[in-house]
């Protein structure tokens, strides 16, 4: 296992982070136990969850499977997305941040969270209120550090400014959606993280499964796949013709070099100088174990040139592509 420094912090994390979004929802407890045991055996020390995953179910399962090994892991969770229909059960009021952290601690069965992410940016939030609440949680020992997920570059800079004004420790990590089909973070998010010393831990390095090559263009997706099950997020984002075509081109390229496309795609993300780790979000033990060989893949200048020819730096595979979960508000 490779271990990398998480930005300017003194934490060293495994290059693969075990993402547990599927825990409780599609991954039962016995499989989750096997996955965590396998991850630890292979040297992973970084695990990621969120309060909203299965409405707390993922956190509860993570707490169960870590048990007395809790302190062997850098444990990250998130808050901000809606946990109920009540008006203050989401976003970043001081009231909700304090309550949500206590709820997460209870579900996780731990006295502290190593990294607490603000799960997404809300354009109308009072970020100063959020930053000061996070500072108090750090002082109280309930969280060790905080991070940002799905924040745009200028909003990362704003958080840093507010931390400096409030004398609150700045965030240590950013979690963007970044892979070779969606290179938008290269424009401002990754440079901002590099400038301010945040580690970068992208999710979906294999583009929600498209970068395994299992979706031939023009065909109905198999029923046992994420697209075949009608998963809303893949259908909104990666399941588009241009991405499927690029995946097939890369699949052929990888087959000629006797490597798997998924390993190539994960290694490509890890080859970015700003990236500390990538989040593997498997549903099964076999899917997790299929991530490990990616650490052995070296990305060459020829590989970089091919990817650049298919998806130019800073762009998505599709002209004009926008994730509907994170729209632009320029006018």
């Amino acid at each position: 296992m490779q271990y990398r420094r998480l930005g300017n912090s003194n934490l060293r994390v495994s290059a693969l982070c075990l993402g547990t979004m599927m825990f409780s929802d599609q991954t039962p407890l016995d499989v989750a136990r096997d996955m965590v045991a396998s991850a630890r055996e292979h040297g992973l020390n970084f695990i990621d969850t969120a309060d909203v995953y299965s409405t707390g179910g993922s956190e509860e399962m993570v707490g169960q499977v870590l048990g007395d090994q809790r302190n062997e892991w850098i444990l990250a969770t998130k808050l901000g997305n809606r946990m109920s229909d009540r008006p203050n059960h989401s976003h970043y009021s001081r009231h909700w941040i304090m309550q949500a952290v206590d709820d997460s601690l209870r579900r996780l069965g731990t006295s502290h969270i190593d990294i607490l992410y603000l799960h997404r940016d809300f354009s109308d939030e009072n970020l100063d209120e959020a930053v000061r609440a996070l500072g108090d949680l750090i002082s109280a020992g309930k969280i060790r550090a905080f991070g940002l997920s799905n924040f745009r570059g200028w909003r990362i800079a704003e958080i840093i400014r507010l931390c400096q004004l409030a004398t609150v420790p700045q965030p240590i990590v950013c979690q963007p959606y970044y892979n070779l089909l969606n290179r938008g973070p290269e424009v401002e998010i990754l440079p901002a993280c590099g400038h301010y010393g945040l580690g970068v831990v992208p999710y979906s390095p294999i583009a929600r499964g498209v970068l395994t090559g299992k979706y031939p263009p023009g065909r109905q997706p198999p029923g046992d796949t994420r697209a075949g099950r009608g998963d809303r997020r893949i259908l909104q984002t990666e399941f588009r013709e241009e991405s499927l075509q690029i995946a097939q081109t890369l699949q052929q390229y990888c087959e000629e070099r006797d490597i798997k496309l998924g390993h190539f795609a994960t290694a490509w993300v890890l080859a970015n100088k700003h990236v500390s780790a990538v989040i593997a979000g498997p549903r099964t033990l076999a899917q997790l174990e299929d991530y490990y060989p990616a650490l052995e893949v070296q990305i060459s200048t020829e590989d970089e040139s091919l990817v650049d020819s298919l998806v130019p730096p800073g762009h998505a595979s599709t002209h004009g592509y926008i994730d509907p979960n994170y729209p632009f508000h320029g006018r």
Side-chain angles (χ1 to χ4, degrees):
M1 179 55 60
Q2 305 168 17
Y3 297 95
R4 302 180 176 192
R5 187 176 178 185
L6 192 60
N8 285 349
S9 80
N10 291 324
L11 280 179
R12 296 186 68 82
V13 296
S14 52
L16 289 178
C17 173
L18 176 57
T20 64
M21 185 175 70
M22 299 295 182
F23 280 23
S24 180
D25 178 23
Q26 299 182 45
T27 302
L29 181 60
D30 58 337
V31 176
R33 289 192 190 281
D34 290 343
M35 290 167 67
V36 169
S38 172
R40 186 152 187 246
E41 180 183 345
H42 284 82
L44 274 72
N45 72 342
F46 197 9
I47 190 164
D48 180 274
T49 185
D51 58 0
V52 76
Y53 298 162
S54 300
T55 320
S58 173
E59 287 185 326
E60 289 180 352
M61 191 172 285
V62 168
Q64 285 181 277
V65 298
L66 294 189
D68 60 7
Q69 298 177 5
R70 158 67 185 96
N71 289 326
E72 301 297 318
W73 293 86
I74 302 301
L75 173 59
T77 191
K78 312 177 193 75
L79 62 79
N81 280 312
R82 185 166 296 282
M83 290 293 285
S84 80
D85 291 335
R86 297 177 184 176
N88 290 306
H89 279 203
S90 65
H91 291 59
Y92 303 133
S93 69
R94 180 183 181 86
H95 166 85
W96 177 241
I97 288 174
M98 296 301 184
Q99 180 179 332
V101 167
D102 283 344
D103 290 345
S104 289
L105 290 171
R106 173 179 48 79
R107 288 189 291 261
L108 291 163
T110 185
S111 63
H112 70 279
I113 294 161
D114 294 301
I115 300 169
L116 177 70
Y117 287 97
L118 302 182
H119 203 159
R120 60 182 297 169
D121 191 8
F122 298 101
S123 60
D124 59 348
E125 290 294 278
N126 180 341
L127 292 180
D128 182 65
E129 179 178 344
V131 162
R132 291 177 186 273
L134 292 167
D136 288 343
L137 287 167
I138 292 172
S139 296
K142 292 186 176 183
I143 68 174
R144 298 282 171 84
F146 81 98
L148 307 171
S149 180
N150 300 305
F151 271 61
R152 301 200 192 281
W154 75 272
R155 294 283 275 182
I156 294 171
E158 175 65 2
I159 288 280
I160 298 294
R161 185 185 72 86
L162 293 171
C163 286
Q164 292 170 344
L165 287 174
T167 62
V168 168
Q170 73 171 49
I172 65 171
V173 62
C174 177
Q175 188 178 130
Y177 180 62
Y178 177 54
N179 54 60
L180 64 78
L181 293 175
N182 284 280
R183 302 180 63 176
E186 294 172 351
V187 178
E188 291 187 351
I189 295 173
L190 300 189
C193 290
H195 178 74
Y196 292 111
L198 279 69
V200 179
V201 182
Y203 63 96
S204 291
I206 58 173
R208 298 186 166 99
V210 169
L211 287 172
T212 62
K214 64 184 175 184
Y215 296 118
R219 298 187 195 174
Q220 186 72 18
D224 61 346
T225 62
R226 193 167 177 177
R229 293 191 299 270
D231 178 85
R232 179 180 63 88
R233 289 300 286 143
I234 189 174
L235 296 180
Q236 284 181 331
T237 57
E238 291 319 322
F239 203 73
R240 52 190 195 267
E241 189 69 15
E242 296 90 341
S243 291
L244 302 183
Q245 293 286 355
I246 289 169
Q248 291 304 301
T249 299
L250 289 169
Q251 174 88 316
Q252 182 176 351
Y253 178 81
C254 289
E255 286 176 353
E256 292 170 356
R257 286 152 183 78
D258 197 29
I259 59 175
K260 285 188 174 182
L261 173 55
H263 300 162
F264 176 89
T266 302
W268 182 88
V269 175
L270 282 168
N272 187 296
K273 66 181 180 181
H274 298 295
V275 170
S276 302
V278 295
I279 295 178
R283 178 174 54 88
T284 66
L285 176 60
Q287 288 177 350
L288 171 61
E289 291 178 335
D290 196 40
Y291 273 98
Y292 301 145
L295 299 176
E296 301 171 8
V297 176
Q298 298 295 316
I299 299 297
S300 67
T301 55
E302 179 187 359
D303 299 334
E304 294 279 12
S305 295
L306 175 62
V307 172
D308 288 351
S309 72
L310 297 170
V311 184
H315 289 262
S317 66
T318 308
H319 179 70
Y321 166 76
I322 298 172
D323 184 339
N325 259 22
Y326 308 105
F328 296 108
H329 300 286
R331 58 182 295 130

